[in-house]
Every structure is written in structure tokens, then in C-alpha cells.
Amino acid sequence: MTSIAPIPVQVKPFALICSFRVPSTEIDPDFTPSVSVVVGEYETQEQAKNARQNISSPALISAWCYQDFLM
């Protein structure tokens, strides 16, 4: 029986997280549901900023860069 070595997962220290408005059929117009998603992981903060500049969506509410200091 042969053993298979696990494939190493490359974790990048920066992530771009964006919040988007979600279309709703709610009756209350003051309530705007949203969802936050990780758009991508990057090696540098500059790459994350450039990725944010490429997003052109009217549903985009906010975006932020997360840095993992434990790497």
C-alpha cells in the first residue's frame, strides 16, 4: 500500500471582504439585507486594493482588507 502525501494549502495573508446589498421582497423599505463575502486572498495589501478597484457593482456597500497576523 502506498501512502499519499497531503497537498499543502497555500494561505495568503490578505483577504478582501466585501458587503453587498441583497435583493429583497420585504415590505419594509428601510431594511436592506446584506451579505459579506471573501472576494479573494492576496499576497500583498496592494493586490487587495487593486482587486477592490476592479469591482463595479451598484450592490457594493463596503469593502475592507483583512490581514492575518498569525501567519
Side-chain angles (χ1 to χ4, degrees):
M1 182 171 169
T2 61
S3 64
I4 300 173
I7 299 171
V9 176
Q10 182 181 7
V11 179
K12 298 180 180 172
F14 294 94
L16 177 62
I17 303 169
C18 294
S19 291
F20 294 93
R21 282 188 294 253
V22 177
S24 174
T25 59
E26 295 292 325
I27 297 173
D28 184 1
D30 294 330
F31 176 69
T32 305
S34 66
V35 61
S36 294
V37 295
V38 175
V39 176
E41 296 178 341
Y42 305 92
E43 291 290 335
T44 67
Q45 186 175 15
E46 190 64 31
Q47 289 174 335
K49 287 181 182 179
N50 289 337
R52 164 55 191 101
Q53 291 174 352
N54 291 328
I55 299 173
S56 60
S57 171
L60 181 65
I61 297 172
S62 65
W64 61 95
C65 183
Y66 170 78
Q67 182 177 4
D68 186 355
F69 291 103
L70 300 176
M71 295 194 60

